[in-house]
Amino acid sequence: QVRLVESGGGLVQPGGPLRLSCAAPGILSTIRVMAWYRQAPGKQRELVADIRTGDRVNYADSVKGRFTISRGNARNTADLQMNTLEPEDTAVYYCYCNVAGHDFWGQGTQVTVSS
């Protein structure tokens, strides 16, 4: 299902920052897990970062120290702050959440890192 709304993608120079935002306005149940995935051309979709109950976070090794995932006070939003971006970060980024055992996805937002 496509229930999440993503924003913030675009073109950025190497080394620059970009902030992605995700909202789940139609989900009223408690969201236990929110995450950001990405998929580059010819690659499988991979987990970038997730945030769980108690604001526990997890990051892919490739983005550790550069990206930060966070949730808003309403608990139905998730942001991904991306710093020191590299060309290898170029991908379509997808927001994800799990509610009552069901998966919800955004449609994806393109991030292109190029000079």
Side-chain angles (χ1 to χ4, degrees):
Q1 296 188 41
V2 181
R3 298 275 297 275
L4 311 181
V5 180
E6 301 138 327
S7 63
L11 175 65
V12 64
Q13 297 184 72
L18 204 63
R19 189 176 185 90
L20 305 181
S21 297
C22 174
I27 299 178
L28 302 179
S29 300
T30 300
I31 301 174
R32 303 298 179 93
V33 180
M34 298 194 75
W36 283 95
Y37 288 74
R38 68 185 181 187
Q39 187 167 23
K43 302 284 188 177
Q44 291 188 334
R45 188 173 299 185
E46 65 174 348
L47 176 67
V48 177
D50 64 61
I51 184 165
R52 301 170 181 266
T53 302
D55 287 341
R56 295 171 294 164
V57 297
N58 177 65
Y59 298 98
D61 288 340
S62 60
V63 307
K64 200 169 298 180
R66 299 188 297 120
F67 291 10
T68 303
I69 189 170
S70 61
R71 293 180 68 175
N73 292 333
R75 301 282 93 183
N76 65 345
T77 61
D79 289 353
L80 184 69
Q81 178 65 51
M82 305 181 292
N83 297 323
T84 57
L85 283 162
E86 304 167 354
E88 292 74 20
D89 296 315
T90 296
V92 178
Y93 284 70
Y94 298 89
C95 185
Y96 162 89
C97 74
N98 182 271
V99 180
H102 293 84
D103 297 332
F104 297 91
W105 293 89
Q107 67 178 4
T109 184
Q110 177 71 47
V111 173
T112 302
V113 185
S114 176
S115 59

